[in-house]
Amino acid sequence: MDTKICFELKSQVSHIEPYKAVSQKAWKVCSDREVMKLDWNESPFPIPDRVKHRLVSFIYNNPLNWYPPLDGFGLNRDLLELFAPTLTLDNIELFSGSDATLESLVRAFCPPGSNVVLLYPSYDNFRVYVEIERGNVMPYIPSNIFSPGNEIDDFIEFALDHDPSIVYLINPNNPIGYFLEDSDLVKVIEALPQTLIVVDEAYIEFSSRPAGSWELLERYPNLAICRTFSKALGLAGFRIGYVLANEKIITALRKVKNPKSVSTLSITAAKAAIESLDEISLNIEQIKQTRQYLIKQLNTFSEIRAYTSEGNFVLVNTEEQIIEQIRYEFEINNIYTRDLSHIQGMNGFFRITVGTRRSAERIIAILRQVLR
Ligand SMILES: Cc1ncc(COP(=O)(O)O)c(C=O)c1O
């Protein structure tokens, strides 16, 4: 007998344009040492040996048949000590990646029908969370998308006109790579005291101010800062991140978050990673140097423009036909980059995650063949 499953999507869900994930072809060739996965801003470095050993030992000696420890084995305390020493345990909460943090922030603070303002272009997954909650995404499109810091007053005016429940900023911005100074953030935070200002610091460690803006939390109760282990700390596969915010925001987040959602192994890996910060800092330094090399080399091609970046990625612009050629050559060499042409106004743009120096050299060598 045929079983017929009847289901009806909530109307807001049926209209959602899903977040466009990257191609998964790299996984098919991941045992090839030459594969270069430069499409999702992951770290090019393997996880530190200390993290590997800790995980193996943990698996043999601890109960993975139990749900995760709700105190995160003290990870929150360690994070505060290292990255936000004047904050307390009431100002931090772990999530299974910044994606989960953003989802919970939207669930808790975006009532249906309210407006959510963001600086365009932005991280598109966030849009999806807002639409699920029936919020209205209101993008402010700067006249110069590369340095919106010059028009922060116009952005604020736009936000005030829309009376938003949330303003979402990414600092440094993905995919452009610019950095907003604290003075700009403060202007936004002060102009909208009834609005939750979310600052997503996924790439902060690669910026000129790696400590980020957490000190603003001492003055502003309407600010939430999202951090992740996925980028500089190299744990994208584990799915772990945290939010720093005023205790009222954290209390609200604890109501909507599933307390057992961060896995035991992710917590174990994160604890070992922050004990390996010496090694990780060297990796970050290498990425920053390679970023400079890559931008400089890319800009030697007259057909290409590469933009300065404070993240672990470089935004590149060229003609659409040339992109096709470049992508073809990259893919047959197992190099995967992020095409951004699905983003409105970004035809001809693609983004290269900064990998190792060797990967940057290969990219330039291939471009020399394509563009000669
Ligand atoms: C701006 C931004 N926020 C959040 C994320 C997702 O972070 P996580 O892996 O911690 O969920 C990304 C991933 O690319 C991102 O670019």
Side-chain angles (χ1 to χ4, degrees):
M1 197 177 78
D2 268 0
T3 317
K4 195 168 169 201
I5 301 173
C6 253
F7 69 95
E8 210 172 295
L9 287 177
K10 283 164 132 181
S11 63
Q12 73 264 33
V13 174
S14 61
H15 292 114
I16 289 171
E17 183 69 37
Y19 169 67
K20 194 172 183 308
V22 300
S23 135
Q24 295 296 294
K25 289 179 192 162
W27 278 102
K28 297 209 167 64
V29 287
C30 66
S31 54
D32 175 348
R33 294 189 76 78
E34 293 293 307
V35 64
M36 287 161 42
K37 189 174 187 314
L38 307 177
D39 51 7
W40 237 348
N41 298 341
E42 293 131 326
S43 168
F45 301 106
I47 59 173
D49 279 346
R50 181 201 295 263
V51 178
K52 288 183 191 160
H53 293 313
R54 187 71 57 81
L55 285 166
V56 172
S57 152
F58 190 92
I59 288 168
Y60 277 104
N61 297 306
N62 291 275
L64 279 165
N65 48 323
W66 293 1
Y67 283 117
L70 299 190
D71 72 347
F73 295 137
L75 176 60
N76 287 359
R77 192 177 297 280
D78 299 345
L79 288 169
L80 289 175
E81 255 170 44
L82 280 167
F83 302 124
T86 61
L87 302 185
T88 74
L89 288 170
D90 296 328
N91 301 125
I92 184 167
E93 187 63 24
L94 293 180
F95 284 88
S96 43
S98 285
D99 286 339
T101 314
L102 295 172
E103 188 174 16
S104 290
L105 283 165
V106 171
R107 210 184 289 159
F109 292 98
C110 167
S114 70
N115 293 332
V116 171
V117 165
L118 49 81
L119 203 44
Y120 185 89
S122 184
Y123 176 52
D124 199 44
N125 225 1
F126 178 76
R127 169 193 58 79
V128 175
Y129 300 135
V130 175
E131 289 177 357
I132 291 170
E133 295 303 322
R134 284 191 283 139
N136 308 311
V137 177
M138 297 287 169
Y140 173 81
I141 305 178
S143 56
N144 180 353
I145 59 168
F146 302 102
S147 55
N150 298 334
E151 41 189 297
I152 211 75
D153 293 335
D154 295 337
F155 172 70
I156 290 171
E157 205 178 308
F158 175 88
L160 286 170
D161 282 350
H162 289 87
D163 187 22
S165 52
I166 301 178
V167 165
Y168 176 58
L169 299 168
I170 309 172
N171 208 28
N173 174 270
N174 172 24
I176 306 287
Y178 63 76
F179 188 73
L180 290 173
E181 295 302 331
D182 265 5
S183 52
D184 290 327
L185 298 180
V186 165
K187 275 188 180 176
V188 177
I189 296 166
E190 288 188 348
L192 294 140
Q194 304 301 324
T195 297
L196 175 67
I197 314 295
V198 176
V199 178
D200 183 337
E201 293 191 337
Y203 302 97
I204 196 70
E205 296 88 347
F206 304 105
S207 77
S208 45
R209 214 158 37 84
S213 298
W214 68 270
E215 280 171 298
L216 297 180
L217 290 167
E218 288 167 1
R219 278 186 282 151
Y220 300 108
N222 58 330
L223 171 65
I225 294 181
C226 310
R227 299 261 183 90
T228 179
F229 280 81
S230 296
K231 309 296 179 181
L233 287 125
L235 298 186
F238 287 89
R239 316 303 300 122
I240 181 160
Y242 59 101
V243 66
L244 300 171
N246 175 273
E247 58 197 58
K248 286 199 177 137
I249 296 176
I250 298 293
T251 304
L253 287 174
R254 286 179 183 154
K255 292 185 187 183
V256 298
K257 177 195 156 182
N258 172 356
K260 48 188 177 3
S261 60
V262 184
S263 84
T264 313
L265 287 183
S266 307
I267 295 166
T268 307
K271 276 186 73 82
I274 57 175
E275 287 168 27
S276 314
L277 280 183
D278 287 355
E279 180 176 340
I280 288 170
S281 305
L282 293 177
N283 293 345
I284 295 171
E285 204 38 52
Q286 269 195 56
I287 289 188
K288 285 163 74 175
Q289 283 172 17
T290 305
R291 177 178 70 194
Q292 284 328 102
Y293 167 82
L294 193 58
I295 293 172
K296 195 166 166 218
Q297 292 297 317
L298 287 167
N299 280 324
T300 60
F301 298 103
S302 57
E303 301 89 340
I304 281 184
R305 167 126 194 235
Y307 296 85
T308 54
S309 167
E310 300 232 15
N312 65 337
F313 51 85
V314 175
L315 182 69
V316 182
N317 181 213
T318 185
E319 284 167 31
E320 276 171 69
Q321 307 94 297
I322 297 182
I323 283 206
E324 283 308 313
Q325 258 176 292
I326 293 175
R327 214 182 21 227
Y328 176 77
E329 282 302 322
F330 279 177
E331 282 213 14
I332 58 175
N333 284 283
N334 280 343
I335 298 172
Y336 301 93
T337 57
R338 178 69 149 158
D339 179 14
L340 299 177
S341 51
H342 61 284
I343 301 178
Q344 194 195 335
M346 298 204 74
N347 263 345
F349 283 86
F350 64 106
R351 191 189 65 200
I352 306 177
T353 303
V354 179
T356 57
R357 169 76 179 218
R358 185 171 146 61
S359 71
E361 285 168 358
R362 270 184 75 204
I363 284 180
I364 299 302
I366 291 171
L367 287 176
R368 278 206 189 102
Q369 286 169 16
V370 178
L371 303 173
R372 84 188 137 201

